[in-house]
Amino acid sequence: MSKAQRAQVDAILRQPRPAPRNLEELRAGYAATQAQMAVSDGIRTSETTLGDRRALLVEPTERARPGTILYFHGGAWSLGSPETALPLTSALVSRTGTRALSVDYRLAPENPYPAAVDDGANAYHALLKNGEDPARIALVGDSAGGSLAVTTALRARESGLPAPAAVVAFSGCFDLTLSGESMDTKAGTDPIFTREMLGPLAGMYCAGQDPRHPHLSPALSADLTGFPAMLLQAGTNEVLLDDSARLAARAIDAGVDAVLDVTAEVPHVFQSFAGILDEAGQAIDRAALFLSQHLR
């Protein structure tokens, strides 16, 4: 564990930036920031359609192993795209040898809940209709996308579809009531988020819906009985830490094979800093191993 590397990442995230004047500037700034992250070698990308949404197909340049990673990008349900998640999807593809399909789901506030969940469920259903074996599909996402990985699995079960093989979430947001203890204990330690910053973003996505709904706050109210194996990764320097901890506890209580993987003194979605932060690459290695073990 490198204290100097962790300090470097923290300093990068705390650099002052001009305040965006509107959502368009916020989206452009997020895309520009993500474009600076390293994309792994040994992959190729192409555009495709999954369900009725655009998707980015990320494949290894060598022959792909069986299986599909259905990926959901982060961005607080209102920012981002498959391209902004390419550093993470490429890292998983290069390590597992398995292809990924990253869904360009609809964003809030133009399309609030349940649009993103609908798009996730439609994408999963489309894979099944195309003949994909659910035992070789993993739902994966970061931040808001981690929540969508979980809620897509919930929606699939509610629709009578077979469960995927696994769910992986990097720093998932699983409680839109923002009531986790870490919202207070990690205030100031988190270089990105505060409860006050997350509140309006959660409000745009919920759009008047009860934030305790299982699809909005699975850590509080989701029935995880019969859920696929889950890997939940988080850092101790993020206000969303308790989201992963409480969802993992809820899954374990329901008899689910759940792994809570917490890395010390790293921020939200620290895995994006692979190549700068040793812990980032190590965490992705663990996620890739988990996926390889469950994508039979």
Side-chain angles (χ1 to χ4, degrees), residues 39-263:
V39 174
S40 297
D41 295 329
I43 61 103
R44 61 174 177 265
T45 65
S46 58
E47 286 199 19
T48 186
T49 301
L50 196 56
D52 58 357
R53 299 299 301 169
R54 184 182 76 93
L56 188 68
L57 174 61
V58 186
E59 300 175 286
T61 52
E62 302 296 329
R63 182 177 178 180
R65 296 176 182 173
T68 297
I69 297 168
L70 184 58
Y71 199 91
F72 302 97
H73 67 81
W77 294 279
S78 57
L79 317 172
S81 68
E83 285 72 22
T84 63
L86 188 55
L88 288 172
T89 50
S90 67
L92 290 173
V93 168
S94 67
R95 285 165 168 81
T96 62
T98 302
R99 71 171 188 162
L101 280 158
S102 187
V103 183
D104 193 11
Y105 59 85
R106 288 171 291 172
L107 301 178
E110 298 92 338
N111 297 281
Y113 172 80
V117 179
D118 291 342
D119 292 343
N122 288 340
Y124 180 61
H125 192 201
L127 285 178
L128 298 179
K129 288 176 63 178
N130 290 340
E132 289 287 321
D133 183 350
R136 287 182 170 173
I137 301 174
L139 308 183
V140 185
D142 64 281
S143 193
S147 173
L148 286 173
V150 171
T151 52
T152 294
L154 286 171
R155 175 68 71 79
R157 187 184 62 189
E158 293 163 2
S159 302
L161 298 176
V167 173
V168 175
F170 303 130
S171 296
C173 182
F174 304 118
D175 171 16
L176 289 188
T177 72
L178 307 179
S179 61
E181 184 178 350
S182 56
M183 283 285 166
D184 297 313
T185 60
K186 301 300 179 179
T189 302
D190 189 324
I192 306 173
F193 290 134
T194 63
R195 177 186 277 119
E196 291 71 26
M197 182 186 302
L198 288 170
L201 296 170
M204 284 196 301
Y205 180 58
C206 291
Q209 299 289 326
D210 182 357
R212 292 185 61 88
H213 189 285
H215 290 176
L216 298 172
S217 296
L220 300 184
S221 56
D223 176 8
L224 300 177
T225 304
F227 223 64
M230 285 201 298
L231 171 65
L232 306 175
Q233 291 189 344
T236 63
N237 285 12
E238 58 175 314
V239 294
L240 293 175
L241 172 60
D242 279 353
D243 285 40
S244 292
R246 287 177 294 158
L247 185 67
R250 192 173 190 86
I252 291 167
D253 287 345
V256 176
D257 178 6
V259 178
L260 176 63
D261 180 1
V262 178
T263 299

